[in-house]
Amino acid sequence: MDLGIKEKRALVLGASRGLGKAIAQALAAEGAVVFAAARSVDKISSYADAADTLHAVELDLGQIDQVDRVVDGLIKDGGVDIIVNNGGGPPPGAAQTAERAAWLQHFEAMAANLFHLNARLLPMMKERGWGRIISITSSGVEQPIPNLALSNGIRSAVVGWSKTLANEVAGDGITVNVVMPGRIHTQRVDELDAAAAKRTGADVAEVAAKSRRTIPAGRYGKPEEFADVVTFLASARAGYVTGSKIRIDGGSIKSI
Ligand SMILES: NC(=O)c1ccc[n+]([C@@H]2O[C@H](COP(=O)([O-])OP(=O)(O)OC[C@H]3O[C@@H](n4cnc5c(N)ncnc54)[C@H](OP(=O)(O)O)[C@@H]3O)[C@@H](O)[C@H]2O)c1
């Protein structure tokens, strides 16, 4: 199936590892010109150098001056057709003890600065009458994950923004969707399993096995499986899918 995105220009955020990296590589494999951004630009360069359609961009989403500088460069260069909103997860913690300063700090990096970046890149998509905006959130926006108050709360704001924007720009040929990873096997998931093992004194393999047993599919997802769904949503073929939340979780969320 030709996905119709050859030479489309894609900005993938949080692309130095994990889900963002897999998405950047999948889009590049479909012939898109990909700008892969994160703070560790060296890590991006280490895989981007292999493909001449992949470009490494240094960006800390917590720094609005850096966001504006990157956007200025992209606009000067012709804008982008596809944006994948992604970045780091906030620290764990309960809702009743989360501090105001933490809410503000993480809201800025995970929501406000992303909204600003998208708003600045949208006019060129509208001019071309074509665009794809996909935001990576978490299954926690449908089924809040205990002790992840910042993540559950801030990512829900991304969902609200995404649906509002989807309605505003559907007539301009721009789709706006949210994807919700359950447990996809990235380095971050290994780090979380290792932290849980340390906290409980259990063996890390047993922690991971227990976690897998909670997933109907009986396994963690592969980053490539996640990236394939995002790549389809970014494609010309998915032009009538907008304002949606898509689960990529092996059946983890218990409701339909
Ligand atoms: N994997 C899962 O199963 C799962 C499940 C639910 C939700 N999620 C969420 O989905 C997102 C991606 O997951 P992942 O497993 O790929 O996470 P990851 O391995 O931790 O990757 C996060 C990416 O975001 C970048 N990043 C972090 N802080 C940033 C900042 N301030 N500015 C710019 N880039 C930043 C990181 O690169 P630098 O450090 O180089 O900047 C990295 O490339 C995360 O938010 C995660 O919490 C993942």
Side-chain angles (χ1 to χ4, degrees):
M1 186 189 278
D2 178 7
L3 295 183
I5 50 171
K6 283 192 182 67
E7 289 170 25
K8 292 284 187 202
R9 291 160 57 86
L11 171 64
V12 182
L13 302 168
S16 67
R17 67 179 205 171
L19 303 181
K21 175 182 171 182
I23 294 163
Q25 290 177 311
L27 289 170
E30 290 302 322
V33 176
V34 179
F35 301 91
R39 293 168 302 182
S40 323
V41 75
D42 49 321
K43 285 192 201 157
I44 304 175
S45 299
S46 68
Y47 74 85
D49 288 351
D52 51 5
T53 51
L54 260 164
H55 306 281
V57 178
E58 185 168 3
L59 172 61
D60 182 344
L61 284 166
Q63 305 296 324
I64 191 63
D65 53 326
Q66 290 189 30
V67 171
D68 274 323
R69 200 175 61 234
V70 166
V71 171
D72 287 344
L74 289 168
I75 289 175
K76 211 170 141 207
D77 213 24
V80 294
D81 308 292
I82 298 164
I83 304 173
V84 178
N85 293 311
N86 179 40
Q96 52 189 322
T97 51
E99 290 185 1
R100 180 177 179 278
W103 280 110
L104 292 177
Q105 180 198 333
H106 293 286
F107 188 85
E108 201 171 1
M110 294 173 62
N113 290 354
L114 280 181
F115 303 162
H116 173 74
L117 175 149
N118 283 262
R120 287 202 58 203
L121 290 167
L122 259 168
M124 291 185 87
M125 285 185 185
K126 286 169 95 167
E127 267 171 37
R128 289 201 274 261
W130 200 97
R132 300 284 182 266
I133 295 174
I134 300 137
S135 300
I136 298 178
T137 58
S138 163
S139 59
V141 302
E142 281 201 341
Q143 189 170 276
I145 303 168
N147 208 41
L148 282 186
L150 289 171
S151 175
N152 296 333
I154 297 169
R155 293 187 201 278
S156 293
V158 174
V159 174
W161 166 82
S162 182
K163 183 66 180 173
T164 310
L165 181 62
N167 290 338
E168 292 172 10
V169 299
D172 296 299
I174 301 169
T175 68
V176 188
N177 292 292
V178 162
V179 284
M180 299 178 291
R183 203 86 165 155
I184 313 294
H185 199 179
T186 63
Q187 208 173 320
R188 172 182 156 82
V189 164
D190 282 339
E191 288 163 6
L192 291 173
D193 284 347
K198 198 170 165 198
R199 208 169 48 244
T200 57
D203 180 58
V204 68
E206 182 44 39
V207 168
K210 195 172 161 194
S211 171
R212 286 184 174 97
R213 283 197 292 273
T214 67
I215 304 168
R219 63 177 179 87
Y220 290 163
K222 299 178 196 154
E224 299 74 30
E225 290 175 304
F226 188 88
D228 283 346
V229 179
V230 174
T231 301
F232 178 71
L233 289 172
S235 76
R237 300 279 182 154
Y240 204 57
V241 182
T242 195
S244 290
K245 286 196 265 110
I246 318 284
R247 299 173 182 175
I248 309 169
D249 70 351
S252 286
I253 293 179
K254 300 302 176 234
S255 67
I256 195 157

